[in-house]
C-alpha cells in the first residue's frame, strides 16, 4: 500500500522537484538531482536560513573547498573514528548498516553497541535486501569518508569533506582578526558534504552527497549567557530530555527560560539556537505538531560535548528523523587543530583594568646551560617555563627528546606582574542543518489530497516564501488582448523580483490544478471584464477563494502577500 512518501516522490519526480541521478545509466543509491522546481525550493530555504543567521544574527558566510588535506581530518578525528558498523549478508552479499538492521527490529541503542554485541543481536534477523536470516556475520567498522589524491603521483592524500565545519575551524585565526579580535563571533557556511554511506535506502533522508548549513559560534568558555536571550526566553516547544527518555516519558513543553533554569538545557546559547531552529523550521513549512527536540543520551553524546540536541521531524514513512543538530562542542575542535598544526587557536581577551598577579619565573643559568646543551639551550630555557620543577631538577621535552635539567642550572622566583589580558581558547556552539532532510520534510508536510467537484485535488501547501513559483498569470483566452495584458502583469511582477509564470495552455480549471500541484500560492486571471474595468481575479491556493482587485495594485500586493505582510483573508 502506498503511503505519503510514495505519493510525494511520485509528484516530485513528475513535476520536476527531485529525481534519481543518472537514470539513463541506472541510478546509484544515495545521489539525487534537484529538478527546476526543487532547485528553486532549495535556494529559497537556503536564503531563509541566511536571513536567520547572516542578516539577523550578523554571522558572515564563508566558502571553503570541498576537498581537504589529510592533516585536517587527522586532527578532527575523522580519519581514525568517522565510521559506521557494517556487515555483509551471506545470502545476497549486500553490505548493510548493522545498527540500522538492529534498530528496524526495535533493538534499543544499537548505535552504541560494540561490533561483537551487534553481531550477536542481528544474527537471527532478516536481511532487509533479500529477507534471508543473516546468521553468523562479522560486524566491522567502515570509514565513511571519500578518499582522493591531490596532484599527480598520489603523493598527497585528501578527502571529500564529510562536513562543512572543519573549514571554519581551521580559518579561526583569520576569522578572529576579521571580527576585530572580539568574542563572541560566529561564521556560517552552506555547501556540499560527502559521506560514503553503506546502504542508503531512505531517499532524500540518507544521501552520499548532500547540502549542509552550519554555524560555528565562538564564545568565551566562562560566558555562555546569550546577550540576546530575551528574544527567545519565553519561546516554548516540546523537549525530550535525556532524563525523560531514560524514564520512558513523552516530550515536555518548556519555555527556554524554564529549560535553562531547570538544567534541562546546559546554557542560554544552546537554548537560544534550539528556539531559533524551531522558528526557522516552522517558517519553512514543518508542522509544529511533527517537530520535537531530543537531547542526546549520556552514552550517545560525544565525550567532549557539554550538551547536544537533535531537531527531529516526524515522517509517516521514516518516523522521527534527525534533521538539525545543536551542540556545545566546548574547545574540542580548536584544541585538536592547535595540537596538530602548532598554531595557538586562542583569542587574547584584554581586561578592563590590569591585574596584579604572582607569577613563577624560572631563570635559566645560560652561562652553564649554553655550553652544556649547546644548540638546544634556548629551547630548554623556554621549556622550563612550562613545567613544575622537582627538588632535584626538572624534566623537559625538546624535539621529542626527554631532558633532565639539574636544579643548580636554574633559579625559581616568584614576582608580581601587571597582567593586561589572557589567552582564551573559545568554546564552540554549533547548529548544523541538513538541508536535504529539511526539504523532504517540507515536501511531505506540505502534501495534501482533497476531493473537489468529484476529483482528487493534489496540492502542495508550501509557505509562500519558499514556493518555487510565487504567482501564476492566466489569460482566460490567449487572444483579444487578454494575453497581452497578462504578459504585462507578469513582466511587472518579475521586475519586483517575483517569479511569475505566464500560462495560457488548456482550460482554466486545469491550469489551476497544475499550479496547485507545484504549490503556487496565488494565481491572477485576466478575463474580458479586465479589459473594461482594469480589474483581475486573484485566487488563493489553499482556500480556492477568489477576489477582484485593480490590476495596478498587484505590484505592491503580491510581494506583501508572499512575505506575510498582508493576508488574502483581509482582501475578502
Amino acid at each position: 500500500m502506498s503511503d505519503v512518501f510514495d505519493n510525494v516522490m511520485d509528484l516530485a519526480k513528475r513535476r520536476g522537484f527531485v529525481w534519481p541521478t543518472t537514470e539513463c545509466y541506472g541510478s546509484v543509491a544515495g545521489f539525487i538531482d534537484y529538478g527546476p522546481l526543487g532547485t528553486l525550493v532549495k535556494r529559497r530555504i537556503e536564503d531563509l536560513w541566511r536571513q536567520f543567521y547572516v542578516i539577523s544574527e550578523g554571522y558572515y558566510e564563508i566558502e571553503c573547498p570541498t576537498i581537504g588535506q589529510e592533516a585536517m581530518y587527522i586532527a578532527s578525528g575523522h580519519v581514525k573514528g568517522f565510521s559506521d558498523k557494517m556487515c555483509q549478508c551471506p545470502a545476497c552479499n549486500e553490505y548493510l548498516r548493522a545498527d540500522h538492521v538492529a534498530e528496524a527490529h526495535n533493538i534499543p541503542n544499537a548505535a552504541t553497541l560494540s561490533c561483537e554485541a551487534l553481531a550477536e543481536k542481528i544474527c537471527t534477523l532478516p536481511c532487509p535486501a533479500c529477507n534471508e536470516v543473516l546468521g553468523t556475520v562479522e560486524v566491522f567498522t567502515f570509514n565513511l569518508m571519500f578518499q582522493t589524491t591531490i596532484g599527480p603521483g598520489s603523493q598527497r592524500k585528501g578527502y571529500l569533506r564529510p562536513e562543512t565545519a572543519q573549514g571554519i575551524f581551521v580559518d579561526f585565526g583569520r576569522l578572529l582578526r576579521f571580527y576585530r579580535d572580539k568574542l563572541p563571533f560566529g561564521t556560517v557556511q552552506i555547501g556540499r558534504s560527502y559521506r560514503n554511506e553503506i546502504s542508503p535506502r531512505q531517499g532524500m533522508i540518507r544521501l552520499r552527497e548532500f547540502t549542509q548549513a552550519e554555524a560555528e559560534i565562538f564564545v568565551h568558555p566562562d560566558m555562555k549567557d546569550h546577550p540576546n536571550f530575551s528574544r527567545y526566553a519565553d519561546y516554548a516547544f516540546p523537549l525530550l530530555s535525556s532524563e525523560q527518555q531514560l524514564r520512558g516519558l513523552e516530550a515536555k513543553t518548556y519555555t527556554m527560560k524554564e529549560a535553562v533554569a531547570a538544567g534541562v538545557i546546559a546554557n542560554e546559547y544552546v537554548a537560544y539556537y534550539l528556539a531559533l531552529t524551531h522558528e526557522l523550521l516552522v517558517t519553512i513549512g514543518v508542522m509544529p505538531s511533527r517537530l520535537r527536540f531530543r537531547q542526546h543520551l549520556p552514552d550517545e553524546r560525544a565525550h567532549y560535548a557539554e550538551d547536544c540536541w537533535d531537531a527531529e521531524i516526524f515522517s509517516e514513512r521514516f518516523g522521527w528523523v534527525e534533521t538539525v543538530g545543536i551542540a556545545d562542542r566546548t574547545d574540542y575542535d580548536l584544541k585538536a587543530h592547535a595540537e596538530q598544526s602548532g598554531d595557538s587557536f586562542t583569542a587574547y581577551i584584554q581586561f578592563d583594568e590590569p591585574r596584579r598577579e604572582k607569577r613563577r619565573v624560572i631563570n635559566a643559568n645560560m652561562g652553564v646551560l649554553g655550553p652544556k646543551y649547546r644548540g638546544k639551550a634556548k629551547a630548554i630555557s623556554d621549556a622550563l617555563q612550562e613545567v613544575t620543577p622537582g627538588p632535584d631538577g626538572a624534566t623537559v621535552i625538546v624535539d621529542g627528546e626527554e631532558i633532565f635539567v639539574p636544579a643548580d642550572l636554574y633559579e625559581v622566583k616568584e614576582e608580581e606582574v601587571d597582567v593586561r589580558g589572557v589567552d582564551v581558547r573559545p568554546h564552540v556552539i554549533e547548529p548544523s542543518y541538513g538541508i536535504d532532510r529539511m526539504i523532504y520534510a517540507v515536501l511531505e508536510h506540505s502534501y495534501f489530497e482533497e476531493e473537489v467537484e468529484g476529483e482528487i485535488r493534489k496540492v502542495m501547501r508550501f509557505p509562500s516564501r519558499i514556493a518555487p513559483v510565487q504567482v501564476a498569470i492566466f489569460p482566460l483566452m490567449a487572444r483579444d488582448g487578454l494575453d497581452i495584458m497578462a504578459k504585462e502583469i507578469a513582466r511587472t511582477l518579475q521586475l519586483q523580483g517575483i517569479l511569475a509564470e505566464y500560462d495560457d495552455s488548456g482550460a482554466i480549471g486545469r491550469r489551476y490544478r497544475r499550479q496547485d500541484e507545484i504549490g503556487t500560492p496565488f494565481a491572477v486571471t485576466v478575463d474580458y471584464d479586465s479589459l473594461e474595468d482594469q480589474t483581475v481575479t486573484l485566487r488563493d491556493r489553499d482556500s480556492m477563494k477568489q477576489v477582484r482587485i485593480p490590476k495596478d495594485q498587484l505590484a505592491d500586493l503580491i510581494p506583501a502577500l508572499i512575505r506575510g505582510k498582508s493576508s488574502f483573508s483581509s482582501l475578502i
Side-chain angles (χ1 to χ4, degrees):
M1 181 183 295
S2 66
D3 62 7
V4 69
F5 173 82
D6 295 320
N7 295 333
V8 166
M9 296 314 295
D10 174 70
L11 184 147
K13 287 184 265 192
R14 183 164 44 83
R15 288 299 187 191
F17 287 96
V18 64
W19 50 65
T21 193
T22 58
E23 285 183 290
C24 60
Y25 291 107
S27 302
V28 178
F31 297 96
I32 58 170
D33 289 348
Y34 282 94
L37 297 184
T39 299
L40 283 168
V41 171
K42 187 170 187 282
R43 295 292 175 264
R44 296 200 197 287
I45 287 176
E46 290 172 348
D47 287 343
L48 254 177
W49 188 90
R50 289 184 173 97
Q51 180 68 41
F52 273 73
Y53 278 93
V54 180
I55 305 301
S56 295
E57 295 295 294
Y59 299 154
Y60 287 91
E61 182 178 356
I62 67 172
E63 185 172 322
C64 303
T66 59
I67 296 176
Q69 57 177 295
E70 185 179 37
M72 178 164 65
Y73 296 117
I74 291 174
S76 67
H78 285 92
V79 169
K80 183 178 180 182
F82 191 66
S83 57
D84 282 335
K85 297 180 178 72
M86 180 171 73
C87 65
Q88 186 176 23
C89 174
C92 66
N93 294 323
E94 182 79 7
Y95 285 103
L96 308 167
R97 270 282 297 270
D99 55 327
H100 284 180
V101 175
E103 287 167 357
H105 292 81
N106 301 315
I107 294 173
N109 303 322
T112 64
L113 297 176
S114 67
C115 290
E116 294 75 15
L118 257 180
E120 185 178 335
K121 294 283 187 184
I122 67 175
C123 64
T124 60
L125 301 179
C127 168
C130 70
N131 213 37
E132 293 289 329
V133 173
L134 288 170
T136 302
V137 292
E138 178 190 3
V139 176
F140 52 95
T141 57
F142 172 74
N143 193 290
L144 300 180
M145 284 198 296
F146 284 99
Q147 183 177 317
T148 185
T149 54
I150 301 171
S154 303
Q155 292 181 354
R156 176 171 290 185
K157 192 183 293 184
Y159 296 91
L160 299 184
R161 67 183 181 192
E163 61 182 22
T164 61
Q166 297 305 319
I168 299 176
F169 294 143
V170 298
D171 279 350
F172 171 77
R174 291 192 177 275
L175 291 168
L176 179 65
R177 287 191 288 277
F178 175 83
Y179 284 100
R180 296 190 279 279
D181 297 297
K182 293 184 189 235
L183 295 177
F185 70 86
T187 302
V188 306
Q189 185 168 191
I190 299 181
R192 295 287 195 173
S193 295
Y194 307 85
R195 296 181 184 179
N196 196 9
E197 296 285 353
I198 295 166
S199 55
R201 300 173 185 276
Q202 297 172 293
M204 297 174 69
I205 301 300
R206 191 165 299 278
L207 296 171
R208 287 172 166 135
E209 179 179 352
F210 53 95
T211 299
Q212 275 187 305
E214 294 190 294
E216 309 300 333
I217 300 108
F218 300 93
V219 304
H220 193 292
D222 301 325
M223 301 177 186
K224 292 187 179 178
D225 290 342
H226 196 288
N228 299 319
F229 186 65
S230 59
R231 174 184 173 188
Y232 287 121
D234 296 317
Y235 194 99
F237 51 89
L239 299 176
L240 186 60
S241 69
S242 58
E243 182 183 353
Q244 287 163 280
Q245 294 171 69
L246 293 171
R247 294 170 60 191
L249 302 177
E250 295 295 318
K252 179 181 175 182
T253 297
Y254 290 86
T255 66
M256 294 302 92
K257 182 169 53 181
E258 291 169 343
V260 173
V264 174
I265 300 175
N267 55 65
E268 288 185 2
Y269 264 98
V270 174
Y272 183 92
Y273 289 104
L274 288 178
L276 184 149
T277 297
H278 187 278
E279 183 184 8
L280 173 57
L281 292 176
V282 171
T283 300
I284 67 172
V286 173
M287 292 182 179
S289 60
R290 300 186 187 181
L291 173 61
R292 73 180 186 187
F293 285 75
R294 186 185 69 81
Q295 189 174 36
H296 283 201
L297 294 167
D299 60 358
E300 179 185 11
R301 188 174 67 236
H303 65 88
Y304 51 80
E306 184 173 327
D307 200 6
C308 189
W309 293 77
D310 289 336
E312 296 184 331
I313 300 174
F314 187 78
S315 160
E316 287 190 22
R317 170 68 69 89
F318 304 114
W320 289 104
V321 176
E322 171 201 344
T323 305
V324 183
I326 299 102
D328 181 338
R329 297 177 62 90
T330 65
D331 64 352
Y332 172 80
D333 302 281
L334 297 185
K335 184 178 180 182
H337 287 297
E339 291 173 353
Q340 179 74 15
S341 69
D343 288 350
S344 70
F345 286 83
T346 58
Y348 181 74
I349 307 299
Q350 189 166 327
F351 300 140
D352 294 334
E353 296 288 339
R355 300 176 184 175
R356 295 289 291 177
E357 292 184 5
K358 285 187 176 180
R359 291 278 178 93
R360 186 200 65 190
V361 178
I362 300 179
N363 294 322
N365 185 344
M366 296 302 291
V368 179
L369 207 66
K372 182 176 178 64
Y373 295 104
R374 301 186 179 276
K376 293 183 180 180
K378 176 64 169 60
I380 290 172
S381 175
D382 292 341
L384 282 170
Q385 308 304 318
E386 308 299 326
V387 299
T388 301
D392 300 324
T395 300
V396 298
I397 296 176
V398 175
D399 296 332
E401 180 186 357
E402 195 173 272
I403 300 172
F404 179 75
V405 183
D408 59 354
L409 297 187
Y410 58 82
E411 181 183 13
V412 180
K413 286 184 176 181
E414 279 199 357
E415 56 187 41
E416 281 197 348
V417 295
D418 284 333
V419 179
R420 300 185 179 275
V422 63
D423 287 317
V424 168
R425 183 164 290 133
H427 284 196
V428 178
I429 311 298
E430 180 190 72
S432 177
Y433 293 73
I435 296 294
D436 308 275
R437 293 186 179 189
M438 291 163 64
I439 292 169
Y440 175 74
V442 170
L443 288 172
E444 183 175 313
H445 291 195
S446 299
Y447 179 86
F448 290 88
E449 293 183 6
E450 58 191 16
E451 188 172 325
V452 177
E453 297 177 353
E455 292 185 352
I456 296 299
R457 173 187 183 238
K458 295 181 179 180
V459 56
M460 298 297 291
R461 289 186 173 142
F462 295 126
S464 299
R465 293 178 67 178
I466 71 154
V469 176
Q470 295 166 313
V471 60
I473 313 297
F474 303 147
L476 188 64
M477 307 291 290
R479 61 173 185 265
D480 302 330
L482 300 180
D483 53 340
I484 294 172
M485 180 183 284
K487 288 175 180 176
E488 288 174 352
I489 291 171
R491 182 58 181 158
T492 299
L493 292 172
Q494 288 161 0
L495 291 173
Q496 293 288 319
I498 302 299
L499 202 159
E501 182 177 283
Y502 172 87
D503 184 2
D504 62 13
S505 175
I508 194 75
R510 292 300 174 198
R511 283 183 260 173
Y512 283 143
R513 292 294 180 265
R514 280 201 298 268
Q515 296 298 328
D516 290 343
E517 273 203 333
I518 67 172
T520 306
F522 306 105
V524 173
T525 300
V526 177
D527 56 23
Y528 286 100
D529 289 340
S530 304
L531 300 178
E532 300 295 328
D533 60 13
Q534 299 296 298
T535 66
V536 295
T537 298
L538 179 64
R539 175 188 183 264
D540 175 60
R541 174 198 66 206
D542 295 339
S543 67
M544 296 188 289
K545 291 181 178 178
Q546 301 182 8
V547 62
R548 300 272 318 176
I549 61 168
K551 169 176 71 81
D552 293 341
Q553 290 184 10
L554 289 172
D556 293 327
L557 178 60
I558 295 297
L561 288 170
I562 288 167
R563 296 183 178 101
K565 303 298 184 185
S566 182
S567 66
F568 188 85
S569 60
S570 67
L571 305 174
I572 299 174

